[in-house]
Amino acid sequence: MTFFLVRHGRPLIDPATPAASWELDPAGFDDVWALRERLPQDDAVWFTSPEPKAVATCQLLTEGDVGILDGLREQERGAVWVEDLEATVRRAFADPDAPAHPGWEPLAATRERLLAAVRPIRHAHAGTDVVLVGHGTAWTLLAAELTGSAPDLDRWARLGMPDVITLPEPLPSLQ
């Protein structure tokens, strides 16, 4: 089993609307299609966040069946535009039990939601490659949990749109 954590393609950014409702930028479709060759197709199970940019990314990456799971959505960040997103996300990781910005979900809550979604996938599809399409902060948390390591914020800062984090077995147990 290998986990492929795919970060969505480049969105159409609208500072007046919540990031969770942003659509995928058609100008970035070629970048998403280029990622297909790095992902399994026939022998993998696919799941995506319900956010439009993630669903659209997934639709460009596979013609196969895809499960849409609410638990895979990004950290809830409210509707307010944040100018210094990187500093705010780093604050969230530094103190995961507290909101890093008014209206933001504490990362501890994001982590629990992600784990509740991924545990059953891992158990139901043991021995099968799993492709999860979603978001950078969520995948940074999940990669840390799956590998038993600290969140890699430098990798988070370097993640492209789209990008993939590949985590082959063996992985520590998700308890």
Side-chain angles (χ1 to χ4, degrees), residues 15 18-19 75-108 110 137:
Q75 175 191 32
E76 293 177 19
R77 296 185 175 157
V80 178
W81 178 258
V82 175
E83 284 298 326
D84 193 349
L85 180 66
E86 182 170 348
T88 309
V89 169
R90 287 182 182 277
R91 244 187 345 270
F93 277 99
D95 187 1
D97 293 318
H101 191 274
W104 281 36
E105 175 183 42
L107 277 183
T110 306
T137 303

Side-chain angles (χ1 to χ4, degrees), residues 2-175:
T2 299
F3 270 90
F4 297 86
L5 307 178
V6 177
R7 185 183 194 189
H8 60 78
R10 186 172 62 240
L12 288 169
I13 296 173
D14 179 359
T17 63
S21 64
W22 293 348
E23 300 288 337
L24 197 61
D25 184 348
F29 283 10
D30 286 344
D31 295 333
V32 176
W33 285 320
L35 192 63
R36 282 182 74 121
E37 65 191 42
R38 294 175 51 195
L39 300 169
Q41 294 293 324
D42 297 333
D43 297 329
V45 294
W46 287 67
F47 296 91
T48 185
S49 156
E51 293 186 26
K53 59 190 169 277
V55 172
T57 298
C58 197
Q59 290 170 337
L60 293 173
L61 290 173
T62 185
E63 284 89 33
D65 293 335
V66 176
I68 298 175
L69 296 178
D70 186 63
L72 299 180
R73 68 187 187 284
E74 180 62 290
Q75 175 191 32
E76 293 177 19
R77 296 185 175 157
V80 178
W81 178 258
V82 175
E83 284 298 326
D84 193 349
L85 180 66
E86 182 170 348
T88 309
V89 169
R90 287 182 182 277
R91 244 187 345 270
F93 277 99
D95 187 1
D97 293 318
H101 191 274
W104 281 36
E105 175 183 42
L107 277 183
T110 306
R111 182 181 59 242
E112 291 309 311
R113 175 173 38 79
L114 286 166
L115 292 175
V118 172
R119 280 184 187 116
I121 293 170
R122 187 165 188 218
H123 294 297
H125 300 286
T128 303
D129 289 338
V130 175
V131 181
L132 304 177
V133 180
H135 313 278
T137 303
W139 292 167
T140 298
L141 280 169
L142 185 59
E145 289 296 320
L146 291 174
T147 61
S149 63
D152 186 343
L153 296 182
D154 292 333
R155 178 173 59 193
W156 169 82
R158 289 189 313 270
L159 279 174
M161 290 188 217
D163 212 338
V164 63
I165 299 169
T166 304
L167 304 173
E169 288 282 4
L171 295 169
S173 177
L174 288 173
Q175 298 304 323

